[in-house]
Amino acid sequence: MQHDKILILDFGSQVTQLIARRVREAHVYCEVHPCDVSSEWVRSFAADGRLKGVILSGSHASVYEVDDKAPEAVFELGVPVLGICYGMQTMANQLGGKVEGSHTREFGYAEVRAHGHTELLKGIEDFATPEGYGMLKVWMSHGDKVTGLPPGFKLMASTPSCPIAGMADEARRFYAVQFHPEVTHTVQGRALLERFVLGICAARPDWVMKDHIAEAVEAIRAQVGDEEVILGLSGGVDSSVAAALIHRAIGDQLTCVFVDHGLLRLNEGDMVMDMFEGKLHAKVIRVDASELFLSKLAGVSEPEQKRKIIGGLFVDVFKAEAAKLKAAGGGHKGATFLAQGTIYPDVIESGGAKSKKAVTIKSHHNVGGLPEQLGLKLLEPLRDLFKDEVRELGVALGLPREMVYRHPFPGPGLGVRILGEVKKEYADLLRRADAIFIAELRACIDPASGKSWYDLTSQAFTVFLPVKSVGVMGDGRTYDYVVALRAVQTSDFMTADWAELPYELLKKVSGRIINEVRGINRVTYDVSSKPPATIEWE
């Protein structure tokens, strides 16, 4: 690749990925790496001349508690640097300023006054005060603060409780803000990051998905040559787009293995086969392993344990199918590459886990030691892409929009949407209830936007609760199961608000589920936001 690039150094913030997302949305390529890379590594990363700027992320830690610093080379390369929150504090600390613990912690909404007409903030404001001061509506999350500017820096922004909320050394093109421009709550955050990346760094906006297909196809062909590739097709967006892209590049050299673990949505297996075998004419082996998965999950109720069992079994089934393919290979040696739908957040999160900079909230079962266990080389054509980029790529490859823009579905499937023990009876009830909810969301059009409520929500699904409640149907008493509907709206999945679905829609969904799914007599709606709740229940 010959794209200009931005380096983002991650100090362990839960929202570092959002910085990268905003940079990519400006069509500039960027990479996230742990903050403890060496100065030698930074210089080698910049050696090809494509590095146009560096961004230092926030952190959950304090500069007093940890020894996390930006590599000295960052400030010696001659490229612009932007520090965000902790990134501002370590910049101040390392360049001769002063950082102290604050008596007043700032978490949440704040209004910041801009000072000095710096290149970064010039002309960017949400409103002006009667005195003519430009003001920004921002999101703060910090306990420490900069109390002394480093030599060469000037004040760029302030709040009453944080007198130095932004600083700049315009001669060296070093900028820093105490607030978080990457989160949607900072109204002008996108404009600020675009100003830094496109204006100050002068990076070319040439990272575009429809153009990326040719690059990716060429890279796959160069890596694979005339060898064979095997891919675990889950039916989710990532593995589906990976399969379509690899098939575009190497055709029949790809064999997809579709493992049905019995925890898919209603008719999902048939849809996957119809798309890939029927329309794309790809080689797909379908394995019905539902009895195996359900038997191993019997009696298990702890969420992390369920995730690990499902992930481990998937590996076992996949290994068995790979061995069968090799044995049946006749004259050829069978697959030498394993393809995975790994995307960039998986790469960032697994890197953060290794460096112990980030706090683990949930384990991910799709990044693991499968290639080593199979003795195969790894092919990950989406590992540089975020989810929204994967979707754009899928549409550009010709996959149906309704498949590519389906709501996210967890790798363990309904296994983490059935609370407690997973049973076939529960999965069958949940599948039918969930299908009704999704169908009604698609059918209900919001008059204000003209869009369906499925498109207006970012993720919607049904959760099976392993409790029974008393009900009445006709003149008889019922004692049946309860489901919860969950629908959220979010731009980044790091934070999310529950969707205020119309009462008429909820009434219709509830009525249909109770009347059509025998065994469920109560429907609830989850009105929790993230945080403090997560989007999935497990």
Side-chain angles (χ1 to χ4, degrees), residues 513-534:
I513 289 173
I514 290 168
N515 284 311
E516 297 175 32
V517 186
R518 183 166 293 179
I520 295 172
N521 72 353
R522 195 175 295 267
V523 175
T524 65
Y525 188 53
D526 180 352
V527 291
S528 314
S529 293
K530 175 186 179 180
T534 53

Side-chain angles (χ1 to χ4, degrees), residues 5-7 31 33 40-49 51:
K5 60 189 179 183
I6 300 292
L7 171 62
E31 291 185 18
H33 291 278
E40 291 71 28
W41 183 93
V42 172
R43 290 190 187 96
S44 70
F45 187 78
D48 58 10
L51 181 65

Side-chain angles (χ1 to χ4, degrees), residues 431-484:
R431 254 188 282 275
R432 292 166 59 205
D434 187 67
I436 289 170
F437 184 31
I438 299 304
E440 291 299 338
L441 283 169
R442 289 188 185 279
C444 185
I445 306 300
D446 170 51
S449 64
K451 293 181 177 179
S452 76
W453 272 99
Y454 185 84
D455 289 329
L456 289 172
T457 52
S458 310
Q459 194 167 356
F461 54 92
T462 309
V463 179
F464 183 88
L465 309 185
V467 294
K468 286 188 170 185
S469 73
V470 173
V472 58
M473 286 194 183
D475 294 324
R477 175 187 186 273
T478 61
Y479 189 56
D480 287 326
Y481 290 107
V482 181
V483 293

Side-chain angles (χ1 to χ4, degrees), residues 170-185:
E170 298 209 274
R172 289 186 284 179
R173 297 183 296 170
F174 294 167
Y175 298 86
V177 292
Q178 187 56 66
F179 55 88
H180 286 268
E182 69 272 31
V183 301
T184 52
H185 304 77

Side-chain angles (χ1 to χ4, degrees), residues 263 297 299-310 361-365 408-423 426 430 459 461-467 484 486 526 528 530 532-538:
L263 299 167
L297 287 166
V300 179
S301 58
E302 204 279 317
E304 279 292 285
Q305 202 179 347
K306 289 196 291 186
R307 285 173 179 269
K308 284 172 180 162
I309 288 170
I310 293 167
I361 306 296
K362 289 179 185 174
S363 64
H364 293 262
H365 85 289
F409 188 59
L414 302 182
V416 290
R417 291 181 178 174
I418 296 168
L419 299 199
E421 185 182 4
V422 177
K423 296 181 180 179
Y426 299 167
L430 178 55
Q459 194 167 356
F461 54 92
T462 309
V463 179
F464 183 88
L465 309 185
V467 294
R486 176 76 158 144
D526 180 352
S528 314
K530 175 186 179 180
T534 53
I535 294 173
E536 296 283 350
W537 278 42
E538 287 193 342

